[in-house]
Amino acid sequence: MRRGLLSWDREEVPVAALEARVARCRQAIGDAGLGCLLIYTNFPRPSAVSWLTNFVPYWSQALLLVFPDGMPVLVASLTPRVGPWIASVSHLGEITHTPDTGGGAARLIAERCPDGARIGVVELNGLPGGIATPLIAGLRGAA
């Protein structure tokens, strides 16, 4: 539930619950032979990213990258000024701030995934073109 300034009630959403959800997601990534799963979020579409990390964006957009191992990574169009707030309300491994969300995600995926890796995208048809175009351009050889 959104209540004014967002905070994280760890009794309502325990870390263990988020870690179990991410573990199931990582298992599905491995079963599907994916190098990474990418999930888009914005103010009207927070559910999938919130389910895994407890993060809900404020009037912004971001991409969550879930790799077969490690904590999820958030690539946010928000400025670094809000980094401490994001960290306080989310269970993430890393937060990258960039105005080029798609390009920033492509760079991180290219660093962690082998050439030709398959990348899963939740609700691909809902990924904005302003993010998809630089993402695709930066993922040469990925499927």
Side-chain angles (χ1 to χ4, degrees), residues 38-43 45-49 60-64 101 121-123 126-128 131:
L38 186 146
I39 309 167
Y40 173 75
T41 188
N42 63 10
F43 186 72
R45 291 179 49 197
S47 300
V49 170
S60 186
Q61 60 187 356
L63 292 173
L64 186 71
T101 309
V121 181
V122 174
E123 297 179 334
L127 189 63
I131 290 179

Side-chain angles (χ1 to χ4, degrees), residues 9-10 19-20 25 33 55 67 88 90-91 109-110 112 115 124 126 130-131 137:
D9 180 342
R10 284 173 169 77
E19 289 178 348
C25 184
F55 175 68
F67 295 96
S88 75
S90 308
H91 193 56
I109 292 168
R112 297 203 44 191
D115 288 341
L124 177 60
I131 290 179

